[in-house]
Amino acid sequence: MANPWIVNAVSRAELPAACQALAQCRPAEQRDSQARTYLAAITSNALGIAGLFTAKDHAGTIRGAVLGQVLDGATGLIWPPGVETGRDKTAIETDLMKTVLGWLRAAGVKVAQSLPKAGDRDGMAALERHGFKLITRLSMWERDLQTLPHPPKPSGTFTFLPVDDAEDFRNTLLASYEGTLDCPESAGDRTSAELIAGHGPMPEPHESLWFLAKHEGTSAGVLLLSRTDVPGVGELTYLGLRPEHRGRDLGRELIRFAMARSVEAGFHKLTLSVDVRNEPALQLYRSHGFRVTEQRD
């Protein structure tokens, strides 16, 4: 017997109702504001409409929705399906998940992730039924750069060079992944080129936001900054050292340079995310005035 609903890509006219459905996995008091957030992100093209799917009954009523997004580096994001509570809830979630996962695979995605708010068991249950594993919690941090009396100056231990030697940069970046404490499970079976592409497109040369850090003439680490959609807010996308350069307090030099360069770039705030299992990084950011703003599973 056929299900009394059908899953399809959303139309523009259905966006408000679809966003309201997608927010069903949030607590009741948060649903309206979350639906408005989804709608604003999609209509502003911060999120794509192509990965938004709805389950509609034969009367045309939207019973549930799920959202997927294709990212660089053969990765993708999934927002957990939102479905009204009822006897068909699990079945509708299953059809929505099958559809969005098939869409992501067809787009070349090898590793799909989700970042539900910490403790969101309702949304995570649907993901876990389809092979997702809870691997860690991400801690979101920020630093108000306007409160700095002056930009922190590195000691000169490193020479920071804007990335212009693609091979040296690639080799150093890949080496910095060895033994990493930041979500090593997310590498999946991606190629080295896909891992690098996962950091997004290289900034324009005049931006000087990606750097190769040299220590005593040797390429020792990398530092990647990026602009966000919020004016004046930058993101420390990645900071990493080759294994042989760790444990020597060199991370302090990298973060000091990141803050100084961010001020030069006009950022008044610097954000980052880090695996809560990465205690050395947590200590580093805490000691330089960063504070936790949110946690996600």
Side-chain angles (χ1 to χ4, degrees):
M1 180 178 176
N3 289 329
W5 61 82
I6 186 169
V7 175
N8 279 316
V10 74
S11 68
R12 285 279 173 185
E14 296 170 330
L15 266 180
C19 290
Q20 195 69 48
L22 189 62
Q24 284 298 316
C25 64
R26 303 300 309 143
E29 66 276 11
Q30 299 176 12
R31 289 173 189 166
D32 286 343
S33 63
Q34 187 63 62
R36 289 193 294 270
T37 298
Y38 287 141
L39 183 61
I42 292 171
T43 53
S44 69
N45 294 320
L47 289 175
I49 190 176
L52 181 57
F53 299 91
T54 61
K56 291 191 296 186
D57 60 25
H58 296 320
T61 302
I62 293 177
R63 301 281 305 279
V66 69
L67 175 63
Q69 184 178 25
V70 177
L71 303 178
D72 294 322
T75 61
L77 277 177
I78 288 184
W79 281 256
V83 180
E84 288 186 4
T85 301
R87 65 173 185 170
D88 294 329
K89 184 175 189 295
T90 299
I92 294 174
E93 287 175 344
T94 295
D95 282 356
L96 287 167
M97 286 297 297
K98 286 181 178 178
T99 299
V100 73
L101 288 173
W103 177 78
L104 288 170
R105 287 192 191 97
V109 170
K110 294 181 178 179
V111 177
Q113 303 178 64
S114 188
L115 298 172
K117 290 183 180 294
D120 180 10
R121 295 305 310 164
D122 184 62
M124 289 176 63
L127 299 174
E128 289 170 343
R129 287 196 298 271
H130 293 271
F132 284 77
K133 298 176 183 178
L134 174 60
I135 60 172
T136 191
R137 182 162 286 178
L138 284 181
S139 187
M140 314 301 184
W141 297 61
E142 68 176 33
R143 176 63 159 96
D144 182 356
L145 301 176
Q146 296 179 107
T147 62
L148 291 172
H150 50 76
K153 294 183 179 180
S155 68
T157 303
F158 281 116
T159 300
F160 292 92
L161 303 174
V163 174
D164 59 3
D165 185 334
E167 183 176 0
D168 195 3
F169 169 74
R170 178 181 64 83
N171 292 339
T172 305
L173 177 61
L174 293 175
S176 75
Y177 293 153
E178 295 176 21
T180 180
L181 299 177
D182 259 325
C183 301
E185 301 88 347
S186 65
D189 59 355
R190 291 184 289 160
T191 66
S192 59
E194 288 166 344
L195 287 170
I196 294 171
H199 291 291
M202 188 178 296
E204 294 295 325
H206 70 273
E207 286 272 71
S208 295
L209 294 176
W210 284 19
F211 295 91
L212 183 65
K214 297 221 169 196
H215 177 61
E216 297 178 349
T218 302
S219 296
V222 295
L223 174 67
L224 309 183
L225 297 166
S226 65
R227 296 188 180 275
T228 69
D229 293 331
V230 181
V233 177
E235 181 180 4
L236 177 54
T237 310
Y238 185 76
L239 178 157
L241 289 164
R242 287 179 177 268
E244 62 270 25
H245 290 277
R246 296 174 190 156
R248 297 158 58 184
D249 211 25
L250 297 177
R252 295 177 63 86
E253 293 298 298
L254 291 177
I255 192 65
R256 284 173 177 270
F257 179 82
M259 294 166 69
R261 178 66 193 107
S262 295
V263 171
E264 292 174 358
F267 301 152
H268 60 75
K269 184 182 294 183
L270 187 61
T271 64
L272 60 88
S273 60
V274 61
D275 191 324
V276 297
R277 298 172 294 183
N278 192 346
E279 187 58 36
L282 297 177
Q283 293 180 8
L284 175 68
Y285 300 137
R286 192 179 296 116
S287 68
H288 284 81
F290 285 80
R291 66 179 186 88
V292 177
T293 58
E294 187 182 21
Q295 290 195 330
R296 288 185 174 267
D297 288 330

